[in-house]
Amino acid sequence: MTDLNIPYTRYLDPEGQVTNELPAFAQDQSKLIELYRRMTFARRYDGKLTAMQRTGRIPSYAPELGEEAVRIGYASAMKKEDVLLGTYRDTAAMIVRGVTIIEDLMFWGGDERGNVYAGPSEDFPLATPIATQTTHAVGVAYAFKLRGEKRVAVTTIGDGGSSKGDFYEAMNFAGAWQVPVVFIIINNQWAISMPRERQSAAETLAQKGLAAGIPGEQVDGNDVIAVHDVIFQALEKARSGGGPSVVEIITYRLTDHSTADDASRYRDSDEVSTHWKNEPLIRLRTYLSESQAWTKEDEENLLTTIDQEIEDGIAKYEAQEGLPPEAMFDHMYAELPMDLKEQREAVMVEFSNSEENGHG
């Protein structure tokens, strides 16, 4: 293999032991506790949304189990004025950015009003198409450069998505224009049922930026300290005019690809069990506990608080008045084309007839 000199960063190993000198922010235990709180919220919220989909309360959901350090790590490193262009599996990051539970549940419930965020108003809606958000991110970053704004576009892509042409085109323009964008490849080892080793012959996914003139590096995606630190540095480099970066965050998807998937059909259970030993919450909790910064009582109180916050948010979401069927057309265009206007009117007539006949 060619020596590509792709750096790899880790501060906490799976046993919660420090492997390198911690960065300055991580020497403040209150900041680590806040990261742990956010990861715990992500884990509990993820489980609740999965259960809501299973019981028909929302139509779909993309679980993040095992990837909490990825989203909390990079989102907490961003500044408010930065812009996130994420994938459908970036729910936890959106919550950190200021999206409310009600807004997020509206999104997963199919209500387009959920994409109008109370917090990060310029963040893009989570992208379902694969890799298109990376080209959009370059456009956003180019606008920042033209305006002289010290802001960064952050875009995420999965390991499978990093093989799409959109991603390569985005990197090519980002490298040529030297725009402030950070490409985050979230390598969770599986592109639905396709394992990493069958997706690409590249030794690392981080090296994909090298041909575009963009430096790449890898980070342990189960170590939230490492993720936060590496992404923070990439953001500051971009913000100061140093150009784009590609960061491959190596983690593992501990659950199904989505609530429409059954990973047991293509993935060995022993493999999954092995990766549970590396999951991020235990790692940081062990470190905090051994540092006398976290107790069993702290943990119990945190779970009670988080669960109540989630339940309160869900109750407010489910108490909202439902939208009429024709609302599905309301956020598609600034002005509906004629064929969709006709469809909208047809839906309104059909719904009105149904109401009159007592089937509403």
Side-chain angles (χ1 to χ4, degrees):
M1 289 289 185
T2 304
D3 182 9
L4 299 168
N5 192 29
I6 301 295
Y8 175 83
T9 301
R10 169 192 280 176
Y11 292 109
L12 290 183
D13 67 17
E15 286 72 46
Q17 302 302 306
V18 177
T19 60
N20 286 295
E21 182 180 354
L22 295 178
F25 87 89
Q27 295 177 26
D28 182 344
Q29 290 187 332
S30 67
K31 293 183 179 179
L32 295 186
I33 289 172
E34 180 59 25
L35 290 176
Y36 179 71
R37 290 178 186 277
R38 288 176 167 177
M39 285 200 297
T40 303
F41 178 92
R43 175 70 59 87
R44 305 291 282 192
Y45 187 60
D46 182 84
K48 189 64 179 182
L49 264 64
T50 299
M52 288 180 70
Q53 191 283 329
R54 298 303 189 204
T55 54
R57 295 162 73 184
I58 54 175
S60 64
Y61 178 63
E64 302 179 40
L65 184 63
E67 302 180 33
E68 295 85 0
V70 175
R71 271 80 191 189
I72 303 309
Y74 84 69
S76 62
M78 295 174 66
K79 289 188 175 181
K80 182 179 180 180
E81 61 266 28
D82 296 332
V83 170
L84 174 61
L85 300 94
T87 73
Y88 47 79
R89 206 183 305 279
D90 280 310
T91 293
M94 299 298 286
I95 297 292
V96 171
R97 295 279 295 155
V99 173
T100 66
I101 291 176
I102 297 175
E103 290 164 353
D104 183 59
L105 286 172
M106 282 196 291
F107 168 79
W108 288 112
D111 187 335
E112 291 293 340
R113 294 176 299 173
N115 286 319
V116 182
Y117 310 130
S121 61
E122 293 188 323
D123 282 4
F124 278 45
L126 297 182
T128 300
I130 306 299
T132 54
Q133 70 277 8
T134 60
T135 54
H136 301 159
V138 175
V140 170
Y142 195 36
F144 293 160
K145 183 174 183 177
L146 289 175
R147 296 171 184 166
E149 297 175 351
K150 294 190 178 300
R151 305 168 68 188
V152 185
V154 176
T155 185
T156 61
I157 190 74
D159 41 295
S162 74
S163 297
K164 289 291 295 293
D166 311 62
F167 178 63
Y168 285 97
E169 292 168 7
M171 288 193 299
N172 187 67
F173 280 114
W177 295 337
Q178 286 294 290
V179 294
V181 61
V182 175
F183 297 100
I184 299 176
I185 303 174
I186 302 173
N187 179 4
N188 67 15
Q189 312 303 320
W190 289 89
I192 309 183
S193 60
M194 182 66 68
R196 159 66 177 95
E197 62 269 17
R198 290 179 57 196
Q199 297 174 39
S200 173
E203 185 176 349
T204 70
L205 301 181
Q207 73 196 55
K208 292 188 174 187
L210 298 182
I214 304 175
E217 59 182 303
Q218 293 181 313
V219 60
D220 183 345
N222 293 324
D223 176 2
V224 70
I225 298 174
V227 175
H228 178 99
D229 183 53
V230 168
I231 297 300
F232 179 81
Q233 292 184 49
L235 289 167
E236 289 303 293
K237 179 172 78 84
R239 205 182 313 281
S240 62
S245 299
V246 174
V247 179
E248 178 187 359
I249 303 181
I250 302 173
T251 183
Y252 190 83
R253 194 190 81 216
L254 290 173
T255 186
D256 302 325
H257 172 78
S258 72
T259 49
D261 176 45
D262 178 6
S264 66
R265 297 174 59 191
Y266 54 81
R267 198 167 62 175
D268 186 78
S269 60
D270 290 339
E271 174 189 327
V272 180
S273 296
T274 298
H275 281 280
W276 267 104
K277 300 174 184 177
N278 297 324
E279 67 98 345
L281 270 71
I282 291 177
R283 185 178 306 199
L284 183 55
R285 184 167 66 240
T286 299
Y287 172 75
L288 290 172
S289 297
E290 293 182 354
S291 301
Q292 309 300 312
W294 195 251
T295 66
K296 181 179 179 181
E297 183 179 4
D298 291 330
E299 182 75 13
E300 292 172 348
N301 290 337
L302 176 62
L303 295 180
T304 299
T305 301
I306 286 174
D307 288 347
Q308 188 60 57
E309 180 183 354
I310 292 172
E311 290 299 333
D312 289 347
I314 292 172
K316 291 178 182 178
Y317 162 70
E318 295 188 326
Q320 294 182 116
E321 186 175 347
L323 293 173
E326 66 270 18
M328 74 176 80
F329 298 93
D330 290 348
H331 300 275
M332 298 178 70
Y333 294 90
E335 183 176 345
L336 279 178
M338 184 56 67
D339 61 329
L340 291 182
K341 284 183 179 179
E342 293 172 352
Q343 289 183 36
R344 187 178 189 278
E345 291 169 2
V347 168
M348 292 176 66
V349 169
E350 183 174 345
F351 180 68
S352 177
N353 292 337
S354 178
E355 289 278 286
E356 291 176 2
N357 292 327
H359 299 301

